């Protein structure tokens, strides 16, 4: 019997051991890329990228990444494919997965990507859903490790909305054994079931964002209004006003604490300009590492464990 196809739909789809392998491969692939050494293990392979929401980083990193690995990427969106005219997602999955070697999807409900994957012959990668953003957290954790070493036992402060990024940090904390200190405005708290958590051991809620940041090794946040929630924008601007990551929050974090943001950012809303543009911010490395971590992910899902 052929081995089951591996997907990356949620962060916990990969084990701690597999993530360790991906981070090792990321370092090797990134180093090779920086030295202009060609590496084309995915020659003749192609990736379909389906976007139902906007993107700069995700599209660019997957498209450039496939090209750099010797393969190609095909961009599809809802506007000009039959997906936007009501073709069932299951039928689309049957067809698309007969023509390419992997599929990346950015969409709304997680259920859509789960249904696609259930009918796909090839690996499906979550490029962001309302619930999760696992590729971003791969890059974020790699960036932490690159700067500071192992993340196990460390504390990440999450300030703001309990959105797709927050849920994925929480899953990652369970898999990689670190802690998340969360502060959200009332009414925007984490929903453990929606976050897909096994328990509550790896996170703690704080009413005051300053308390969540105290002693943290990494402080991170994201937009107050995620894609798909635009109708709530005005209400959110008021509710989140005291949840801006500023210098005071960074000052109470651990010495040498890093600041991350998945981008795009809104200076003066979820983050003060002096923080995102300040010395503790690693947001540009974080964005670049989307490219390198996803190349390791594509290599692993398409070719298995390469040791060299
Ligand atoms: N961080 C991120 O996923 O960026 P894009 O929306 O530009 O892809
Ligand atoms: N939480 C944001 C992340 C964008 C990369 C959103 O879903 O819009």
């Amino acid at each position: 019997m052929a081995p089951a196809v591996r997907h990356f739909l949620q962060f916990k789809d990969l084990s701690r051991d597999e993530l360790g392998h991906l981070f090792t491969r990321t370092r090797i692939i990134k180093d090779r890329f920086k030295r202009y050494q060609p590496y084309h293990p995915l020659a003749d392979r192609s990736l379909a990228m389906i976007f139902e929401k906007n993107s700069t980083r995700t599209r660019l990193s997957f498209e450039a990444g496939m090209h750099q690995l010797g393969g190609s990427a095909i961009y599809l969106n809802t506007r000009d494919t039959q997906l936007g005219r009501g073709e069932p997602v299951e039928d689309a999955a049957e067809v698309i997965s007969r023509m390419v070697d992997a599929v990346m999807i950015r969409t709304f409900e997680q259920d859509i990507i789960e249904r696609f994957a259930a009918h796909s012959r090839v690996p499906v990668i979550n490029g962001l859903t309302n619930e999760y953003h696992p590729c971003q957290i791969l890059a974020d954790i790699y960036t932490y490790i690159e700067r500071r070493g192992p993340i196990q036992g460390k504390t990440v402060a999450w300030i703001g909305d309990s959105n797709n990024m927050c849920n994925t940090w929480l899953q990652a904390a369970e898999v990689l054994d670190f802690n998340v200190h969360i502060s959200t405005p009332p009414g925007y708290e984490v929903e453990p079931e929606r976050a897909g958590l096994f328990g509550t051991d790896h996170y703690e809620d704080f009413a005051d964002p300053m308390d969540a940041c105290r002693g943290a090794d990494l402080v991170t946040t994201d937009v107050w209004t995620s894609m798909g929630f635009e109708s709530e924008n005005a209400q959110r601007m008021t509710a989140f006003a005291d949840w801006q990551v500023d210098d005071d929050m960074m000052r109470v974090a651990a010495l040498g604490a890093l600041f991350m943001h998945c981008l795009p950012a809104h200076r003066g809303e979820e983050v003060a300009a002096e923080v995102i543009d300040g010395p503790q911010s690693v947001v540009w490395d974080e964005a670049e590492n989307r490219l390198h971590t996803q190349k390791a992910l594509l290599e692993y899902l398409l070719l298995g464990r390469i040791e060299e």
Side-chain angles (χ1 to χ4, degrees):
M1 209 171 75
V5 177
R6 291 296 301 276
H7 304 296
F8 188 47
L9 306 179
Q10 307 189 26
F11 198 85
K12 65 184 179 188
D13 288 346
L14 294 175
S15 67
R16 191 187 299 191
D17 174 60
E18 289 176 310
L19 290 163
H21 170 76
L22 283 194
F23 295 142
T24 301
R25 290 301 297 163
T26 299
R27 188 173 39 74
I28 294 167
I29 289 169
K30 178 173 180 176
D31 183 56
R32 205 176 256 178
F33 176 70
K34 295 283 178 189
R35 287 189 278 118
Y36 295 98
Q37 286 181 355
Y39 179 53
H40 294 155
L42 299 186
D44 292 331
R45 309 286 182 114
S46 47
L47 170 77
M49 306 184 299
I50 303 172
F51 283 92
E52 299 209 76
K53 292 177 177 171
N54 291 28
S55 170
T56 298
R57 281 145 286 267
T58 303
R59 177 176 176 183
L60 184 58
S61 53
F62 272 107
E63 196 162 332
M66 276 305 288
H67 180 73
Q68 291 158 16
L69 293 172
S72 58
I74 299 156
Y75 173 77
L76 303 168
N77 63 38
T78 327
R79 220 175 27 256
D80 52 23
T81 61
Q82 300 290 4
L83 277 165
R85 297 180 64 251
E87 181 166 14
V89 70
E90 292 80 3
D91 292 2
E94 294 284 353
V95 173
I96 293 170
S97 72
R98 285 177 183 229
M99 297 192 191
V100 295
D101 302 280
V103 181
M104 184 244 86
I105 307 181
R106 168 168 286 196
T107 187
F108 293 89
E109 291 78 25
Q110 180 71 12
D111 176 60
I112 299 172
I113 198 169
E114 302 275 352
R115 281 162 50 212
F116 190 104
H119 288 262
S120 173
R121 294 181 168 201
V122 299
V124 178
I125 298 170
N126 182 344
L128 181 146
T129 57
N130 290 352
E131 287 81 1
Y132 306 118
H133 198 1
C135 292
Q136 182 68 53
I137 301 299
L138 263 190
D140 293 9
I141 292 176
Y142 181 77
T143 306
Y144 185 86
I145 295 170
E146 199 175 40
R147 293 280 186 143
R148 296 285 184 266
I151 197 163
Q152 185 175 14
K154 302 290 183 191
T155 298
V156 174
W158 175 268
I159 308 302
D161 191 16
S162 61
N163 62 12
N164 42 14
M165 283 291 297
C166 175
N167 288 343
T168 313
W169 270 114
L170 292 171
Q171 281 200 2
E174 288 191 336
V175 182
L176 294 172
D177 192 22
F178 59 89
N179 311 301
V180 185
H181 287 180
I182 302 183
S183 185
T184 63
Y188 295 90
E189 293 87 357
V190 168
E191 296 170 50
E193 204 170 312
R194 184 172 155 87
L197 303 181
F198 295 116
T200 53
D201 290 356
H202 288 85
Y203 78 92
E204 201 176 332
D205 281 311
F206 293 83
D208 184 342
M210 286 290 281
D211 291 335
C213 290
R214 219 173 292 285
D217 302 288
L218 165 62
V219 177
T220 185
T221 185
D222 186 13
V223 292
W224 290 341
T225 306
S226 286
M227 291 181 280
F229 297 84
E230 289 80 1
S231 64
E232 301 174 13
N233 194 47
Q235 192 185 331
R236 284 171 170 267
M237 289 299 131
T238 312
F240 284 79
D242 293 334
W243 274 262
Q244 178 185 106
V245 176
D246 58 14
D247 267 344
D248 290 339
M249 291 190 200
M250 293 307 295
R251 211 167 292 124
V252 298
L255 198 68
L258 300 176
F259 172 77
M260 290 191 195
H261 189 310
C262 65
L263 307 176
H266 299 83
R267 289 169 177 76
E269 291 182 18
E270 75 274 6
V271 62
E274 62 265 28
V275 171
I276 193 167
D277 300 321
Q280 287 163 284
S281 173
V282 291
V283 295
W284 312 130
D285 281 0
E286 187 189 352
E288 178 189 326
N289 282 333
R290 291 290 302 277
L291 174 70
H292 310 301
T293 47
Q294 287 164 197
K295 284 164 77 177
L297 176 69
L298 287 162
E299 178 194 71
Y300 182 63
L301 293 178
L302 293 176
L303 304 178
R305 211 178 253 262
I306 307 257
E307 316 272 3
E308 44 162 298

